[in-house]
Amino acid sequence: MLLDADDSQLVLVDYQSRLMPAIFENSLVLANAVKLARMARLLEVPVWGTAENPGSLGPLVPEVQAVIAAAGGRTLDKMSFSAVADGLSDLLRPPVRQPSQGRNARSLPKHLQKSAPEPEEGRSTIVIAGCEAHGCLMQTALDLLEEEFEVWVVTDACSSRSERNRDAAFDRLAGNGAELVTTEMVAFEWLRTAEHEVFKDVLGLVK
């Protein structure tokens, strides 16, 4: 029951310029979101972002935009509170590769035919953090669970405008099968060992 970096993807939900000033413990939450993305980049974990109604709530804050871009990720603009409703799960799952035609057509003699490539398995574990915890973050996480992803919510990188709403979201998520973790738990589970080649780099982020 430990996180596996090779099976993980990181989703950062709605750390937006006009929303974050109103968020409880916003500085800590933002700092941990940036740490998560930097760790993901070091460990080659894909990173995705979402932005709710950016025309109203603004773009992602610059430091989150920068780390997503540095990790080679992209941001999904959305209007639904759940990012799954606006296509997130399509980004998280690789497209099924279709058998090529032409020289591999079934009309060729059997000894010249090549077997169709197997669909890629993809990464089924979603490490997720964001705002607001009781709104877009929770609805996205619950929908990902419905889509049969494993969902790990990074509690110290999530918040809402009020502490009560944040904590109610964590209770509901845990009750529906999400794992609740912290930024440092993610770091050490992705690493597994002090002998990992990027251990010192990751340790420098969390200390």
Side-chain angles (χ1 to χ4, degrees), residues 9 28 42 94 108 134 206:
Q9 301 184 70
L28 173 66
L42 287 168
L108 291 174
H134 69 292
V206 299

Side-chain angles (χ1 to χ4, degrees), residues 137-147 172-173 176:
L137 180 282
M138 187 189 73
Q139 291 191 31
T140 299
L142 291 175
D143 275 352
L144 288 171
L145 287 165
E146 281 288 316
E147 295 276 330
R172 189 167 172 196
L173 287 162
N176 280 278

Side-chain angles (χ1 to χ4, degrees), residues 106-170:
R106 292 190 180 188
S107 57
L108 291 174
K110 214 164 202 178
H111 70 282
L112 294 178
Q113 291 181 27
K114 294 181 181 177
S115 58
E118 292 295 322
E120 296 178 36
E121 290 184 6
R123 295 171 178 245
S124 61
T125 300
I126 308 304
V127 178
I128 189 168
C131 300
E132 291 191 60
H134 69 292
C136 295
L137 180 282
M138 187 189 73
Q139 291 191 31
T140 299
L142 291 175
D143 275 352
L144 288 171
L145 287 165
E146 281 288 316
E147 295 276 330
E148 300 187 344
F149 288 98
E150 293 182 17
V151 176
W152 299 62
V153 178
V154 190
T155 56
D156 59 355
C158 298
S159 197
S160 296
R161 285 166 294 144
S162 74
E163 190 175 4
R164 178 172 293 183
N165 275 326
R166 181 200 65 183
D167 292 347
F170 293 158

Side-chain angles (χ1 to χ4, degrees), residues 3-206:
L3 281 168
D4 181 350
D6 292 335
D7 190 46
S8 294
Q9 301 184 70
L10 175 64
V11 176
L12 300 176
V13 176
D14 301 358
Y15 296 92
Q16 290 168 260
S17 59
R18 293 178 196 155
L19 173 63
M20 293 311 299
I23 294 296
F24 176 69
E25 294 184 331
N26 58 71
S27 296
L28 173 66
V29 165
L30 273 175
N32 285 329
V34 170
K35 287 178 187 177
L36 286 167
R38 288 177 175 163
M39 293 187 309
R41 182 185 180 193
L42 287 168
L43 290 154
E44 300 183 348
V45 171
V47 181
W48 308 95
T50 72
E52 170 68 20
N53 189 10
S56 176
L57 294 177
L60 297 183
V61 296
E63 55 265 52
V64 173
Q65 281 190 47
V67 290
I68 291 173
R74 58 167 286 195
T75 297
L76 173 70
D77 291 343
K78 63 188 179 70
M79 294 298 289
S80 302
F81 299 137
S82 168
V84 172
D86 283 355
L88 178 63
S89 55
D90 294 332
L91 296 178
L92 298 175
R93 288 194 176 98
V96 176
R97 296 177 295 182
Q98 298 298 320
S100 57
Q101 299 300 316
R103 298 181 69 85
N104 296 333
R106 292 190 180 188
S107 57
L108 291 174
K110 214 164 202 178
H111 70 282
L112 294 178
Q113 291 181 27
K114 294 181 181 177
S115 58
E118 292 295 322
E120 296 178 36
E121 290 184 6
R123 295 171 178 245
S124 61
T125 300
I126 308 304
V127 178
I128 189 168
C131 300
E132 291 191 60
H134 69 292
C136 295
L137 180 282
M138 187 189 73
Q139 291 191 31
T140 299
L142 291 175
D143 275 352
L144 288 171
L145 287 165
E146 281 288 316
E147 295 276 330
E148 300 187 344
F149 288 98
E150 293 182 17
V151 176
W152 299 62
V153 178
V154 190
T155 56
D156 59 355
C158 298
S159 197
S160 296
R161 285 166 294 144
S162 74
E163 190 175 4
R164 178 172 293 183
N165 275 326
R166 181 200 65 183
D167 292 347
F170 293 158
D171 289 343
R172 189 167 172 196
L173 287 162
N176 280 278
E179 295 281 349
L180 303 188
V181 292
T182 66
T183 300
E184 288 200 19
M185 290 167 72
V186 173
F188 293 122
E189 290 180 36
W190 275 350
L191 286 168
R192 297 292 179 93
T193 174
E195 296 179 322
H196 196 291
E197 61 185 358
V198 299
F199 170 73
K200 289 184 179 178
D201 297 315
V202 172
L203 191 64
L205 293 172
V206 299

